[in-house]
Amino acid sequence: MGIIVQKFGGTSVGSVERILHVAQRVIQEKNAGHDVVVVVSAMGKSTDQLVDLANQISSKPSKREMDMLLTTGEQVTISLLSMALAEKGYEATSFTGWQAGVETEASHGNARILNIQTENVKTELSKGKIVVVAGFQGVSEDGQITTLGRGGSDTTAVALAAALKAEKCDIYTDVTGVYTTDPRCVKSARKLESISYDEMLELANLGAGVLHPRAVEFAKNYQVALEVRSSMENERGTLIEEESSMEQNLVVRGIAFEDQVTRVSVLGLPNELTTLSTIFTTLATNGVNVDIIIQNTTSDLKTSISFSVKTNALEDTISILEQHKSILQFDKIESESQLAKVSIVGSGMVSNPGVAAEMFDVLANEGIQVKMVSTSEIKVSTVVDQVHMVDAVNALHDAFELSKEVASV
Ligand code: ADP
Ligand code: ASP
Ligand code: MG
């Protein structure tokens, strides 16, 4: 039998009791004859607590020191889980990200994994040991400790599964699988038996926090067999695979949403060929991540551009635009916060032109104003007032009948 990678998230390792329970699940796979690599997150909300500690000391802590601080969270869990396994009579070795050979870009806070040197892990596995790896962390070429972005332990697990050519990667969490939407917000959300990599990637990128987007990217690129399942219940979870075999022909597969969206409008820009490229190059080179973009030309001479950013990037966005005012030559900047993005996702949309219209119709009937729109072959995103976010998701979930069981084909 081959290697299995199991990943347990924060809630699943949130107490000593839960860590002992996780140890039992790891042992089950070991006893079934697999080589087992376990990736764990920090216990419960401990990463948030570490962020909070830093904020009590500095309003803008150094990114390097933040990574140094946050990586301690996962290290608590790897050692405790290894001790738990030892208590139950199973030899385990814990590894930090760098000991496990997780090499990343030289950037702090949101580094990408570039490569995994698997020698240490393989050596321990060959001795019959269980290997317990700290998620969410790595090391850059110049020896700096890095983190992979919030929720990044999923990515550690899938990247390890790819590098080790594991048989499968199980993501154990506090829900029983991937649902049609976040079951915390929509009571009738339904667990999916399977979903395609592409659909899952869209959902994850559009705010469905159940999987880190880069984990899905790795799974797709390296064809890792991925399952999201519960660490508490013993039922089957959701398979993420190349083409979802079940529930084909479904126009909308799921709904994702995120709050803390802000619309920035740059008014009175010169209506020139290079205006768009200048403004977005300026923002990109200064590290501002822009999402939906709308251009509104008001006369032959003037144009306006609106775009959405995460609300925590607003201050930087405005200051960068102001710094470049002499080149950009705009009249003024306006912004609107307290917005949210609500998106419907499904690969069946490609061949169904009326889906966006239906979405707008549903929102209009609820009295919800759509402030920005963006579409791709498999998604439609709308920006609405944050206060309407959950109502919008519920209305769309009902209208597209996502809670209904769909016959497999
Ligand atoms: P972990 O700590 O195990 O990584 P997360 O909190 O990161 O867990 O992810 C699990 C959570 O994702 C669930 O509790 C759920 O509220 C949320 N979630 C958002 N969208 C979905 C979805 N479509 N299906 C399932 N869970 C979702
Ligand atoms: N502990 C990190 C976080 O809370 C990484 C993770 O849980 O995946 O974001
Ligand atoms: Mg997570």
Side-chain angles (χ1 to χ4, degrees):
M1 263 195 226
I3 299 173
I4 273 212
V5 177
Q6 299 179 297
K7 180 258 171 179
F8 295 89
T11 316
S12 308
V13 294
S15 63
V16 164
E17 209 182 24
R18 293 214 163 153
I19 290 178
L20 292 170
H21 175 77
V22 163
Q24 216 47 57
R25 295 214 80 146
V26 173
I27 288 168
Q28 265 172 28
E29 294 293 4
K30 181 72 184 161
N31 286 347
H34 288 108
D35 281 339
V36 187
V37 176
V38 192
V39 174
V40 286
S41 292
M43 289 174 68
K45 299 257 170 267
S46 60
T47 308
D48 289 339
Q49 285 157 5
L50 292 169
V51 171
D52 191 51
L53 281 179
N55 289 339
Q56 287 179 43
I57 293 195
S58 165
S59 60
K60 243 189 165 167
S62 124
K63 287 188 166 181
R64 179 187 186 279
E65 299 311 330
M66 275 313 277
D67 279 357
M68 195 60 91
L69 178 68
L70 297 193
T71 48
T72 62
E74 272 64 17
Q75 290 173 51
V76 170
T77 323
I78 52 169
S79 40
L80 291 177
L81 179 58
S82 301
M83 290 175 200
L85 288 164
E87 281 298 311
K88 290 175 190 283
Y90 288 77
E91 280 194 288
T93 305
S94 64
F95 280 140
T96 60
W98 39 102
Q99 288 176 315
V102 180
E103 297 176 351
T104 73
E105 297 172 332
S107 80
H108 288 292
N110 199 20
R112 285 173 182 277
I113 295 178
L114 298 177
N115 187 30
I116 302 194
Q117 305 279 0
T118 53
E119 289 76 25
N120 285 350
V121 172
K122 281 186 177 156
T123 305
E124 294 306 294
L125 289 178
S126 69
K127 293 182 202 158
K129 295 195 183 181
I130 295 165
V131 176
V132 183
V133 178
F136 171 63
Q137 53 179 251
V139 63
S140 62
E141 206 183 359
D142 53 349
Q144 298 298 320
I145 289 174
T146 56
T147 59
L148 312 180
R150 297 302 304 268
S153 296
D154 296 337
T155 302
T156 308
V158 181
L160 266 170
L164 293 165
K165 301 196 170 46
E167 238 169 58
K168 68 179 299 208
C169 179
D170 286 331
I171 306 284
Y172 287 89
T173 182
D174 58 3
V175 280
T176 53
V178 177
Y179 281 64
T180 46
T181 192
D182 189 340
R184 282 191 219 190
C185 292
V186 177
K187 292 276 161 294
S188 59
R190 182 173 56 86
K191 186 174 92 181
L192 299 167
E193 281 183 38
S194 69
I195 184 167
S196 69
Y197 291 125
D198 287 331
E199 288 170 319
M200 191 63 236
L201 192 55
E202 283 285 5
L203 284 174
N205 273 320
L206 294 167
V210 63
L211 277 177
H212 195 237
R214 283 186 198 148
V216 189
E217 240 170 70
F218 264 105
K220 178 177 159 66
N221 290 343
Y222 295 91
Q223 298 287 302
V224 176
L226 197 60
E227 181 170 346
V228 174
R229 54 189 306 189
S230 163
S231 60
M232 305 307 285
E233 331 277 331
N234 234 337
E235 64 188 84
R236 262 196 64 182
T238 302
L239 295 173
I240 293 116
E241 53 194 14
E242 189 52 59
E243 250 322 302
S244 167
S245 48
M246 314 284 174
E247 302 188 1
Q248 274 171 5
N249 306 323
L250 208 67
V251 179
V252 178
R253 177 97 57 197
I255 304 177
F257 51 92
E258 58 182 334
D259 57 8
Q260 304 299 328
V261 172
T262 289
R263 174 170 63 174
V264 178
S265 300
V266 188
L267 307 175
L269 286 155
N271 187 13
E272 286 164 8
L273 212 57
T274 53
T275 299
L276 268 175
S277 74
T278 315
I279 187 164
F280 290 109
T281 307
T282 305
L283 290 169
T285 48
N286 286 282
V288 174
N289 232 330
V290 168
D291 187 12
I292 301 177
I293 299 171
I294 292 174
Q295 183 175 18
N296 200 348
T297 301
T298 41
S299 73
D300 283 352
L301 298 177
K302 293 282 182 187
T303 188
S304 306
I305 291 167
S306 293
F307 54 88
S308 65
V309 290
K310 293 235 161 82
T311 299
N312 62 11
L314 176 63
E315 215 178 295
D316 278 355
T317 307
I318 292 182
S319 110
I320 289 158
L321 291 171
E322 292 289 359
Q323 280 165 34
H324 294 82
K325 191 166 183 179
S326 58
I327 311 166
L328 298 171
Q329 296 181 332
F330 55 84
D331 290 340
K332 64 172 177 175
I333 303 171
E334 287 176 356
S335 68
E336 182 181 11
S337 292
Q338 307 285 328
L339 300 176
K341 187 166 70 168
V342 175
S343 311
I344 55 174
V345 172
S347 49
M349 275 182 209
V350 187
S351 48
N352 272 281
V355 187
E358 193 176 343
M359 182 180 193
F360 304 147
D361 210 35
V362 172
L363 296 175
N365 285 337
E366 291 292 308
I368 298 172
Q369 194 192 348
V370 173
K371 302 196 163 183
M372 297 178 102
V373 178
S374 130
T375 63
S376 80
E377 284 193 332
I378 67 165
K379 68 118 201 235
V380 183
S381 292
T382 54
V383 173
V384 299
D385 280 325
Q386 199 165 293
V387 287
H388 294 136
M389 179 179 79
V390 173
D391 287 344
V393 175
N394 274 281
L396 292 165
H397 198 269
D398 281 351
F400 288 103
E401 301 187 322
L402 294 190
S403 48
K404 263 200 189 160
E405 283 302 328
V406 182
S408 307
V409 288

